[in-house]
Amino acid sequence: MVYITGDCHGDWSRFSSKSFPEQKDMLADDKDKSIVIVCGDFGIWHDNKEERYWLDWLSNKPFTVCFVDGNHENFDRLYSEEFETVDFHGGQAHKIRDNIFHLMRGHVFNFEGKSFFAFGGASSHDIDDGILDKDDFDNKKEFVQTYRKWDKENKMFRVNHVSWWKQELPTQEEMDFGIETLVKNDNEVDYIVSHCCPQEVASIFSMGCYKTDVLTTYFDTIARDNKFTKWFFGHYHDNQQIRGKFIMLYEQIIRII
């Protein structure tokens, strides 16, 4: 069984047995055959007591949780030694818990006999007024004063290495690797899982409101040059089907296999 859902932002309550009753038919000793995929913004943020509690809670579920990264993830942690890089269902992943894995960009994974191309990342839409960086200030007091001023003015901003990371968008190396992986798979996979979507698709549902970036343009190329059955993505906080095979997810959990 493979299920898929959208952004969690660290709120994993949708995986309770009440909200996700399908898990009652899953076997705790066979977690590897029951997969739930999250389309980015899973919620690996700052290590604290609350996060550890909920990750431990998830680790006791009778299924395996996999996620592509979104734009609201702590990339300093994801790519640190805190989480081991492991071989996982044909690709590579960061092991968060025994049954929680971050699917690394550009890899193809095999779940229940179907191939999944995973590629996380997205541009933040809440940074119109900029990114504050502590290193740009002479002292902590000056930084705090600016932060409070911007917050009081209701500016849309985030703080570098605290609430924003440049790794939200891929490097050229990551994008090249994704193309190479797809070529090795004869440019055909069953499913594509990402956080944002191709620019052509975003332009349809947003009526041109979302600006193009290096990743949405890259996804235009992926969509054009590859065969796939469905493309699942999150990021936009809604549930929609666009052009038949592009599926935007938020709080819904749907079964695909």
Side-chain angles (χ1 to χ4, degrees):
M1 294 181 284
V2 179
Y3 294 83
I4 194 162
T5 187
D7 308 23
C8 295
H9 298 285
D11 178 4
W12 300 304
S13 58
R14 77 183 65 172
F15 300 124
S16 67
S17 56
K18 181 179 180 180
S19 299
F20 184 38
E22 292 88 344
Q23 65 188 276
K24 295 176 182 178
D25 297 324
M26 300 174 184
L27 300 176
D29 294 335
D30 209 6
K31 295 183 181 184
D32 201 42
K33 291 187 177 180
S34 299
I35 307 292
V36 179
I37 301 172
V38 178
C39 296
D41 281 356
F42 175 68
I44 295 298
W45 203 236
H46 298 293
D47 185 27
N48 55 38
K49 184 177 180 180
E50 182 180 9
E51 182 190 85
R52 290 192 294 272
Y53 169 83
W54 283 106
L55 287 175
D56 289 342
W57 177 81
L58 268 181
S59 70
N60 288 316
K61 289 296 179 179
F63 50 83
T64 293
V65 179
C66 306
F67 67 95
V68 297
D69 50 90
N71 53 302
H72 297 314
E73 313 283 4
N74 187 330
F75 288 96
D76 290 338
R77 289 183 65 201
L78 272 183
Y79 289 94
S80 72
E81 294 182 356
E82 178 180 357
F83 303 122
E84 180 186 6
T85 299
V86 297
D87 293 329
F88 181 73
H89 286 264
Q92 286 197 316
H94 290 121
K95 182 179 179 180
I96 312 300
R97 291 288 191 278
D98 286 344
N99 67 323
I100 305 173
F101 295 88
H102 165 231
L103 306 179
M104 295 176 67
R105 295 173 180 172
H107 289 267
V108 169
F109 301 86
N110 187 289
F111 301 124
E112 294 294 289
K114 299 293 184 180
S115 54
F116 291 75
F117 175 72
F119 205 103
S123 290
S124 292
H125 297 145
D126 52 4
I127 55 172
D128 289 353
D129 293 307
I131 303 295
L132 285 181
D133 192 327
K134 294 179 182 179
D135 292 339
D136 293 336
F137 296 86
D138 292 332
N139 52 65
K140 182 178 179 180
K141 181 179 179 180
E142 183 181 336
F143 166 77
V144 171
Q145 288 176 336
T146 301
Y147 180 95
R148 289 175 176 172
K149 179 175 181 292
W150 282 26
D151 188 49
K152 187 176 181 179
E153 294 171 350
N154 293 317
K155 287 191 174 184
M156 297 178 67
F157 72 99
R158 286 185 173 263
V159 179
N160 192 25
H161 292 291
V162 175
S163 56
W164 180 87
W165 289 262
K166 68 178 182 179
Q167 294 96 326
E168 67 175 27
L169 289 175
T171 62
Q172 187 61 51
E173 182 180 14
E174 287 175 320
M175 292 189 290
D176 290 344
F177 175 72
I179 295 293
E180 292 168 6
T181 300
L182 288 167
V183 169
K184 290 179 181 177
N185 284 268
D186 298 323
N187 292 107
E188 184 173 0
V189 291
D190 293 300
Y191 302 105
I192 295 177
V193 181
S194 62
H195 187 50
C196 66
C197 67
Q199 187 62 36
E200 280 191 14
V201 177
S203 296
I204 293 172
F205 65 76
S206 74
M207 293 181 287
C209 289
Y210 286 114
K211 300 176 182 178
T212 185
D213 60 47
V214 64
L215 185 52
T216 60
T217 300
Y218 174 70
F219 283 160
D220 277 344
T221 301
I222 298 293
R224 184 190 66 232
D225 295 346
N226 293 270
K227 294 181 180 179
F228 56 93
T229 303
K230 298 287 184 184
W231 185 318
F232 297 97
F233 59 97
H235 192 43
Y236 307 96
H237 293 195
D238 200 359
N239 302 287
Q240 291 188 40
Q241 183 171 348
I242 303 99
R243 287 185 173 175
K245 60 182 181 178
F246 294 93
I247 313 297
M248 179 199 303
L249 290 172
Y250 187 27
E251 295 173 329
Q252 285 188 341
I253 304 175
I254 63 173
R255 182 175 178 178
I256 57 177
I257 302 175

